Amino acid sequence: MDVLLGYAWPGNVRELEHLIERVTLLCPGSEATAEDLPKNVTGAASETSDAGFGDKVLPIRDIQRRYATWALQKLGGAKMATCEALGIDSKTLAKWLKESDG
């Protein structure tokens, strides 16, 4: 539980939901431990409180654009999958990606 609470959850509640489903299905025992969690979750629990931003404060639009672009690349350019993973509709994704052009 400490690992889950210590993770920054950069996605949304769906990320947590998918993780719980995956651990429930794949956990070899009757109780999940930190070893059953993905490395990105267990490693993130020990990060400092800057959440990976360093000392620079960024505008939220810049963060949205960068994260949407990263998510789209991670999901192989699949826009609908990206929308679902981010919990946004296709118009919002298009707006966020367009902001990177202007």
Side-chain angles (χ1 to χ4, degrees), residues 28-77:
S30 61
E31 187 173 312
T33 65
E35 291 80 34
D36 298 314
L37 300 173
K39 289 184 182 18
N40 66 314
V41 173
T42 58
S46 64
E47 288 182 4
T48 61
S49 63
D50 70 6
F53 293 112
D55 293 332
K56 187 175 181 184
V57 175
L58 302 171
I60 194 69
R61 288 186 176 153
D62 187 41
I63 294 169
Q64 288 173 332
R65 175 190 51 78
R66 290 170 55 186
Y67 189 66
T69 301
W70 172 84
L72 186 62
Q73 290 172 347
K74 282 296 224 184
L75 295 170

Side-chain angles (χ1 to χ4, degrees), residues 16-30:
L16 173 60
E17 180 182 8
H18 292 160
L19 174 70
I20 298 299
E21 288 174 356
R22 186 176 8 180
V23 170
T24 301
L25 293 172
L26 301 176
C27 180
S30 61

